[in-house]
């Protein structure tokens, strides 16, 4: 485990989600933490809607930032914290970056379906077991960290977003 608690890092991801919303994005945030030092090395939010880039999810934006900053695509010593359970694309991007741990707040089954691009009973916690990180490394995903706070953040965003529509 990192130098801080999982809740501490999730609060940082929530902060990134709020910043993303202020900048016109969806209130979904993520951070990447270096496990050996506990240092947050990347943070970001979902910018897909206002940048017209369907791949600009919070996790992908963080992975891009971390890889560029560190000049590597191998992030084995890192962990993602995200406010919402990852979609297939983000989970796969983490696997390609060899990130072995993803911790998330809200489960996609509990938020408005307009925020989700995955149908059915897909759960990171199960799907992560099938990810191939190479080198006999497996991925672990665990949800429910500050779940209530993450759900409230997304519910508030969705209420405001639907009012403006």
């Amino acid at each position: 485990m990192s130098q801080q608690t999982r809740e501490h890092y999730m609060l940082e991801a929530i902060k990134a989600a709020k910043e993303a919303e202020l900048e016109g994005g969806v209130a979904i945030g993520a951070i990447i933490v270096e496990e050996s030092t506990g240092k947050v090395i990347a943070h970001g939010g979902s910018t897909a809607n206002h940048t017209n880039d369907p791949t600009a999810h919070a996790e992908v934006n963080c992975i891009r930032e971390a890889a560029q900053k560190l000049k590597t695509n191998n992030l084995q010593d890192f962990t993602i914290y995200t406010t919402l359970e990852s979609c297939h694309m983000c989970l796969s991007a983490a696997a390609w970056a060899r990130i072995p741990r993803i911790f998330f707040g809200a489960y996609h089954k509990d938020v408005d379906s307009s925020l989700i691009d995955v149908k059915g009973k897909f759960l990171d916690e199960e799907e992560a077991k099938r990810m191939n990180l190479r080198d006999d490394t497996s991925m672990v995903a665990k949800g429910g960290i500050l779940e209530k706070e993450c759900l409230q953040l997304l519910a508030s965003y969705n209420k405001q977003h639907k009012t403006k529509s």
Side-chain angles (χ1 to χ4, degrees):
M1 181 151 166
S2 299
Q3 310 299 331
Q4 300 290 332
T5 65
R6 303 222 187 282
E7 290 79 12
H8 167 82
Y9 290 120
M10 189 58 68
L11 287 171
E12 292 296 314
I14 289 170
K15 210 182 294 184
K18 290 177 180 179
E19 289 172 15
E21 183 177 12
L22 287 174
E23 294 171 4
V26 179
I28 299 170
I31 63 167
I32 294 182
V33 175
E34 185 174 25
E35 280 294 314
S36 60
T37 65
K39 182 179 177 187
V40 175
I41 58 115
H43 69 281
S46 176
T47 59
N49 288 351
H50 69 285
T51 61
N52 298 314
D53 178 355
T55 68
H57 291 194
E59 299 95 322
V60 172
N61 287 338
C62 278
I63 291 168
R64 287 176 180 152
E65 181 182 324
Q68 288 174 359
K69 190 180 282 185
L70 299 170
K71 298 183 183 356
T72 184
N73 63 2
N74 185 343
L75 303 175
Q76 281 183 303
D77 184 40
F78 296 86
T79 300
I80 294 178
Y81 290 82
T82 183
T83 57
L84 179 61
E85 185 174 13
S86 300
C87 70
H88 284 77
M89 176 185 69
C90 293
L91 199 58
S92 293
W96 278 102
R98 298 181 185 172
I99 298 172
R101 294 164 299 277
I102 298 177
F103 294 103
F104 61 91
Y107 288 85
H108 67 78
K109 66 182 175 61
D110 296 324
V111 299
D112 188 285
S113 63
S114 68
L115 295 173
I116 305 301
D117 55 357
V118 177
K119 295 188 187 301
K121 296 183 179 182
F122 170 85
L123 290 174
D124 276 4
E125 293 162 328
E126 292 299 317
E127 192 66 18
K129 295 174 188 173
R130 294 187 270 280
M131 292 286 127
N132 176 17
L133 302 184
R134 295 158 300 284
D135 304 324
D136 293 323
T137 302
S138 59
M139 181 185 282
V140 174
K142 175 153 179 32
I145 299 164
L146 296 183
E147 182 177 9
K148 181 179 174 184
E149 292 85 343
C150 293
L151 282 170
Q152 288 173 339
L153 178 69
L154 291 164
S156 174
Y157 167 82
N158 217 24
K159 183 179 178 184
Q160 291 175 358
H161 180 69
K162 284 187 174 188
T163 304
K164 294 177 182 176
S165 299

